[in-house]
Amino acid sequence: MGKITVIGSMNMDLVANVDHMPKTGETIIGKSFEEIPGGKGANQAVAMARLGGQVNMIGKLGDDGFGKTLLKGLQKDEISVEGVQIEENTPSGVALITVSKEAHNSIIVVPGANFKLKKEDIDRNIQIIKESDFLVLQLEVPIDTVKHSLKRAKDLGVYTILNPAPAQKLDKSIIENVDLLIPNETELEILSGIEINNEEDVIKASKSLIEKGVESLIVTLGEKGSMYIDEKGFKKFKAHKVKAVDTTAAGDSFIGGVCVSLSEGKTIEEAIGYGSKVGALTVTKKGAQSSLPYKEEIEALKEA
Ligand code: RIB
C-alpha cells in the first residue's frame, strides 16, 4: 500500500445548528452548539486513516486547548503527526459553521496557526514527503507554501493531488505541478474563469486547466455525482442517493476515499466509485470528523 502525506489545515469547528440561515442584520436563536474537530487538511487525513490508509500530517496548531484536542484526535486515528508543529503565542485555526435544517451550511475559517506554515517547515519535513507516494493539499495554508510543496513533491516524483478549496485563482506555476485536481463546480469556475452551467462547460473549463499543465481532474457535482476528465476524454459517475443531514466535510471524505483507493493500486474509476460511497455516508451524519466513516461501514454499504 502506498503512503500518503497531507499538508493542510487543522481547525476546531464551532458549529451552530439553526432552523434557517440568518439574513444580514438578523439575530436568530440557534438549536444547539458543538465543538467538532475539522479543517480540510485534517478531515482528509482522518478520512484516509479511517479507511485504512497510511497517513502523515504536516501542518501547524496553536498553543491552546483546541490545538491539544485536535492533535489528540489525529493520534487516536493513528495518523503520524511527526510533521505537526505547535506555534507559540498563536491560536489554533477555527471555523464558524452554521448548519440549517435543510442541511445547508455556511463556513467562515479563521486560519490562526494554519497560516504560519512556511516553506521552511516543508523543507524541514521533506523526508516525510520523500517517503510518500501521494501528497494531498488544499488551500487553507499560505499559497506560497502550497506552491513550494507541490514543486518539491513533483521533483521527487511524488503523485500530487490538490483540492483547490477555498477557491482562488491559481498561477500556472502551481497548476502545472498538479497530477490530480479535485474542485467542485464553483471552484472550477473560479480557477478557469469559465461560467459553469452544464456538463459541456465542466469539460471546457477542465480542458482549459489541462492545457495549463494539470494532468487530470475529478470535478465533484454534489447530488449530480462527479466527472473525471483527462487529455483522452471524460467519464461521468453517479452519486449515491442518501438523506443528507449535514454536508460538512463531504468533499473531504470523497477525496479521502479516492486517495486511499489509489494508494491501494485501484483504477481511477474504482477510486471515484469508492470516494462517492464515502462521501454519501458522511452527509448522513452531523459534523466534520464526527461524520467520517470507517472502512467497515463502507464495506457494509457494498453488501446492502
Ligand atoms: O470542508 C469542511 C471544513 O472546512 C470544515 O471542517 C472547516 O474547518 C473548514 O476547513
Side-chain angles (χ1 to χ4, degrees), residues 97-151:
I97 305 187
T98 312
V99 182
S100 75
K101 65 175 189 303
E102 288 86 21
H104 298 151
N105 67 26
S106 74
I107 305 182
I108 300 170
V109 172
V110 185
N114 294 305
F115 266 21
K116 295 278 171 92
L117 188 73
K118 299 278 163 15
K119 294 184 206 172
E120 304 81 70
D121 300 309
I122 304 307
D123 292 343
R124 199 174 315 118
N125 288 300
I126 200 67
Q127 194 58 28
I128 300 177
I129 300 172
K130 213 176 199 169
E131 287 167 10
S132 303
D133 301 280
F134 297 87
L135 181 71
V136 183
L137 288 128
Q138 317 73 30
L139 300 179
E140 285 185 349
V141 295
I143 196 69
D144 280 350
T145 309
V146 172
K147 183 172 168 177
H148 184 69
S149 308
L150 286 167
K151 171 86 176 81

Side-chain angles (χ1 to χ4, degrees), residues 11-191:
N11 298 329
M12 184 56 82
D13 291 352
L14 309 176
V15 187
N17 291 291
V18 297
D19 271 328
H20 68 273
M21 294 294 188
K23 295 190 190 79
T24 306
E26 186 187 16
T27 301
I28 60 168
I29 303 288
K31 292 197 293 188
S32 61
F33 171 77
E34 277 170 288
E35 288 176 10
I36 303 174
K40 293 186 197 305
N43 293 347
Q44 293 176 20
V46 168
M48 293 168 198
R50 290 187 186 169
L51 298 167
Q54 275 186 46
V55 192
N56 298 292
M57 180 81 204
I58 297 177
K60 281 205 172 166
L61 290 166
D63 58 348
D64 51 13
F66 286 160
K68 288 194 181 79
T69 309
L70 293 169
L71 185 64
K72 265 193 212 151
L74 296 179
Q75 287 168 322
K76 193 165 164 249
D77 276 305
E78 295 180 12
I79 292 165
S80 166
V81 292
E82 208 188 307
V84 175
Q85 281 171 260
I86 309 292
E87 185 78 8
E88 280 178 22
N89 303 319
T90 308
S92 293
V94 291
L96 314 179
I97 305 187
T98 312
V99 182
S100 75
K101 65 175 189 303
E102 288 86 21
H104 298 151
N105 67 26
S106 74
I107 305 182
I108 300 170
V109 172
V110 185
N114 294 305
F115 266 21
K116 295 278 171 92
L117 188 73
K118 299 278 163 15
K119 294 184 206 172
E120 304 81 70
D121 300 309
I122 304 307
D123 292 343
R124 199 174 315 118
N125 288 300
I126 200 67
Q127 194 58 28
I128 300 177
I129 300 172
K130 213 176 199 169
E131 287 167 10
S132 303
D133 301 280
F134 297 87
L135 181 71
V136 183
L137 288 128
Q138 317 73 30
L139 300 179
E140 285 185 349
V141 295
I143 196 69
D144 280 350
T145 309
V146 172
K147 183 172 168 177
H148 184 69
S149 308
L150 286 167
K151 171 86 176 81
R152 294 236 43 194
K154 221 24 202 173
D155 290 347
L156 290 166
V158 177
Y159 188 85
T160 56
I161 299 178
L162 176 66
N163 170 220
Q168 57 173 277
K169 282 238 171 228
L170 297 176
D171 288 355
K172 191 172 182 293
S173 59
I174 295 183
I175 288 182
E176 66 192 5
N177 285 319
V178 179
D179 289 313
L180 178 60
L181 187 75
I182 313 187
N184 62 22
E185 281 166 284
T186 318
E187 289 150 7
L188 179 64
E189 193 167 290
I190 294 172
L191 256 85

